[in-house]
Amino acid sequence: MHSNAEDTYTKRQRIAELANDRRELAFTSLNHLLDLELLHDAYSRTPTDKAPGVDGRSAADYEANLMDNLRSLLERARSGTYHAPAVRRVHIPKGSGGETRPIGIPTFEDKVLQRAVLMLLEPLYEPLFHDGSYGFRPGRSAHQALESLWRQTMNTGGGWILDVDIRKFFDTLDHGHLRRLLQRRVRDGVLLRLIGKWLNAGVLEDGALSYPDEGTPQGGVISPLLANIYLHYVLDEWLEREVKPRLQGRVFLIRYADDFVLGFTCEADARRVLELLPQRFAEHGLTIHPDKTRLVRFRPRPKDRDANRPDVPHTFDFLGFTHHWGRSRNGRWVVQRKTASNRFTRALKKIATWCRRNRHEPLRQQHVALRHKLQGHYNYFGITGNSAALARFLYFVQRVWKKWLSRRNRERHWNWDHFHRMLQRYPLPPPRAVHSVLRHAANP
């Protein structure tokens, strides 16, 4: 099926070229590009190892009669007879405070169709999206957002950071506003009808079926793009066209999906935008969390600074890291990042739970799994300047492992000497700055 993938790539390239040339154009005819080749390519990009949806149908079940299933899906999508099945909702931990995040699990067939529509819409919107948007976009990552934030705060010498929290964004996204925003760029009836069906699909939770009139389920393939479209118009474009021209100093936006920060060189600008944001978001059905949204004085300063303003915070969390100013080895003030305490605690709790549940498994098997878990932690949190937090995480993982090894056989006490001898045979990976500034500078 390489030719199908190549055909799909060519079609998407043509859409991207046209979309880039005509940024104000609303596309009225796209459904003819929704064909069997596109669906097959979408199928090949859909993970097959995920949990099934409400129909209980696995990827293997769907693949057993793949081409007939895809033909049937195409016919139903084009004719308007496709019925968007309910999503199965589960809750996963959000932080150390007991909060959870709802995740929707679509059926496998629904994922394939959502991905096909995503592959058509993505090239239309990529030319429109601003540089400060990083979440769920091709060729962009959370670490690029972090690097951009570091670079811009360093270039401005610090200033004021507006750390904004949108209350339950994915759950409260207004369908009416979203449809109107979509129609600025897409007026193809087939695609808009499919998106409408996904927005109105039921939610199955604990055996009860409900039909929310707002929100888009996290976990849906197309949900991140819809979120980016919504916030592109509500926040990014508004800031660029209406707000920036009226400000005195410089301002920048770094956004990863619904998680974003604004940087200012002028305090008056920051406070003005802080006043405007709640009203702007309320006009589009969103709410700024009053307790979690903070204005941060983010400038290099000695430890006894701002004694007359103790209520103004000096650090902020973004994408799992606490950002703060500190001295480099040569004494210069630099922006430093360390693993945020809630993310550190959450990651350690997950490993402790795993060690407790698997304490009776063979040591070799436990060792392999813990190596993978630690490496996964380093892959995200392994950035330059975070070595102390990584080393501390490894230390606590070792303590947790020793604790549960000791409890699997109380007659055999695991003292530290015995445990360290075991670590020589089954060593855990040392902390590593996967995202190294020095390595990137040497090989950009």
Side-chain angles (χ1 to χ4, degrees):
M1 283 290 179
H2 291 294
S3 60
N4 290 342
E6 292 170 4
D7 290 344
T8 301
Y9 176 78
T10 303
K11 292 174 185 175
R12 297 183 73 207
Q13 282 292 101
R14 289 174 183 167
I15 296 174
E17 291 169 3
L18 184 59
N20 191 49
D21 292 339
R22 304 182 183 181
R23 299 194 177 202
E24 302 301 323
L25 178 67
F27 288 76
T28 58
S29 181
L30 292 166
N31 67 84
H32 66 283
L33 299 173
L34 183 62
D35 54 24
L36 196 60
E37 287 75 18
L38 180 68
L39 284 179
H40 192 279
D41 196 9
Y43 158 78
S44 67
R45 297 169 186 237
T46 302
T48 59
D49 58 346
K50 304 298 183 182
V54 294
D55 62 353
R57 198 178 184 189
S58 67
D61 296 332
Y62 198 80
E63 186 180 5
N65 197 15
L66 179 60
M67 296 313 296
D68 286 344
N69 286 331
L70 292 180
R71 289 189 188 96
S72 170
L73 177 60
L74 177 61
E75 181 181 348
R76 284 176 283 139
R78 281 185 168 178
S79 65
T81 59
Y82 179 77
H83 174 71
V87 296
R88 183 166 63 86
R89 176 175 285 174
V90 297
H91 291 263
I92 62 173
K94 184 178 181 181
S96 57
E99 291 185 68
T100 61
R101 174 184 287 112
I103 297 293
I105 304 176
T107 64
F108 183 78
E109 181 177 70
D110 206 43
K111 291 178 185 177
V112 171
L113 185 56
Q114 285 194 35
R115 188 168 298 279
V117 173
L118 171 69
M119 291 165 67
L120 288 179
L121 295 185
E122 208 169 51
L124 299 184
Y125 285 98
E126 274 301 307
L128 304 186
F129 289 158
H130 292 279
D131 287 341
S133 170
Y134 288 89
F136 306 104
R137 292 180 58 190
R140 293 187 162 226
S141 68
H143 287 98
Q144 289 176 336
L146 290 165
E147 181 182 351
S148 178
L149 175 59
W150 184 89
R151 186 174 61 251
Q152 296 197 67
T153 48
M154 287 292 294
N155 288 343
T156 59
W160 293 82
I161 295 291
L162 188 52
D163 180 14
V164 183
D165 183 273
I166 307 176
R167 178 178 280 165
K168 297 183 177 179
F169 171 73
F170 281 92
D171 295 334
T172 59
L173 189 147
D174 185 272
H175 292 176
H177 286 301
L178 177 58
R179 288 189 180 95
R180 285 189 287 274
L181 295 174
L182 279 169
Q183 288 173 6
R184 294 188 184 186
R185 190 64 163 165
V186 178
R187 293 180 187 166
D188 182 284
V190 171
L191 299 188
L192 290 176
R193 184 167 58 235
L194 284 172
I195 293 173
K197 290 181 177 182
W198 287 319
L199 291 175
N200 295 323
V203 173
L204 184 67
E205 183 174 5
D206 296 329
L209 183 63
S210 62
Y211 293 89
D213 56 4
E214 60 183 10
T216 178
Q218 295 185 66
V221 176
I222 203 168
S223 294
L225 176 62
L226 297 181
N228 272 335
I229 293 170
Y230 203 91
L231 287 176
H232 166 74
Y233 290 111
V234 174
L235 175 64
D236 306 1
E237 192 79 350
W238 169 74
L239 182 73
E240 198 68 31
R241 295 196 177 188
E242 299 185 31
V243 178
K244 277 188 178 182
R246 295 177 171 85
L247 299 181
Q248 301 174 19
R250 294 170 58 184
V251 58
F252 64 83
L253 166 69
I254 304 293
R255 182 171 66 80
Y256 194 90
D258 62 323
D259 196 2
F260 69 94
V261 293
L262 289 155
F264 301 86
T265 56
C266 177
E267 179 181 359
D269 290 342
R271 295 195 178 278
R272 175 61 178 153
V273 174
L274 179 58
E275 290 179 4
L276 293 174
L277 268 178
Q279 178 183 348
R280 172 66 180 178
F281 275 44
E283 290 171 356
H284 294 84
L286 300 175
T287 305
I288 298 294
H289 201 299
D291 299 325
K292 296 182 179 180
T293 297
R294 307 182 311 151
L295 187 58
V296 179
R297 188 183 191 278
F298 196 66
R299 286 177 177 160
R301 52 210 177 272
K303 289 184 178 180
D304 58 351
R305 62 202 176 273
D306 290 345
N308 59 333
R309 301 182 70 177
D311 58 320
V312 180
H314 301 122
T315 68
F316 66 96
D317 290 354
F318 184 63
L319 296 180
F321 291 89
T322 297
H323 300 251
H324 61 99
W325 284 91
R327 295 281 191 179
S328 66
R329 290 182 179 179
N330 58 13
R332 293 175 56 242
W333 284 105
V334 295
V335 177
Q336 298 178 340
R337 288 85 54 89
K338 63 181 179 181
T339 308
S341 59
N342 62 334
R343 295 291 291 272
F344 187 100
T345 302
R346 188 198 315 177
L348 190 61
K349 279 185 176 179
K350 287 179 68 175
I351 287 186
T353 300
W354 186 91
C355 287
R356 175 175 60 83
R357 292 176 177 173
N358 294 272
R359 63 187 182 274
H360 296 296
E361 299 298 329
L363 275 178
R364 184 183 301 275
Q365 185 174 323
Q366 292 188 43
H367 172 244
V368 170
L370 285 175
R371 283 185 61 90
H372 284 298
K373 293 178 185 299
L374 273 171
Q375 195 58 57
H377 187 84
Y378 300 158
N379 286 346
Y380 187 79
F381 292 102
I383 65 172
T384 301
N386 196 34
S387 58
L390 296 181
R392 193 161 60 96
F393 188 77
L394 173 62
Y395 169 74
F396 280 110
V397 167
Q398 290 174 343
R399 288 183 65 91
V400 163
W401 195 17
K402 174 185 175 297
K403 169 185 173 180
W404 290 108
L405 286 177
S406 297
R407 294 192 180 187
R408 76 175 186 169
N409 186 350
R410 295 184 181 276
E411 295 179 0
R412 183 182 181 183
H413 181 63
W414 282 73
N415 59 34
W416 278 105
D417 287 339
H418 183 192
F419 182 71
H420 283 138
R421 286 197 299 271
M422 188 274 294
L423 281 181
Q424 292 177 358
R425 184 178 180 186
Y426 298 108
L428 295 175
R432 175 172 174 259
V434 177
H435 306 277
S436 167
V437 172
L438 299 176
R439 191 179 304 118
H440 178 73
N443 187 20

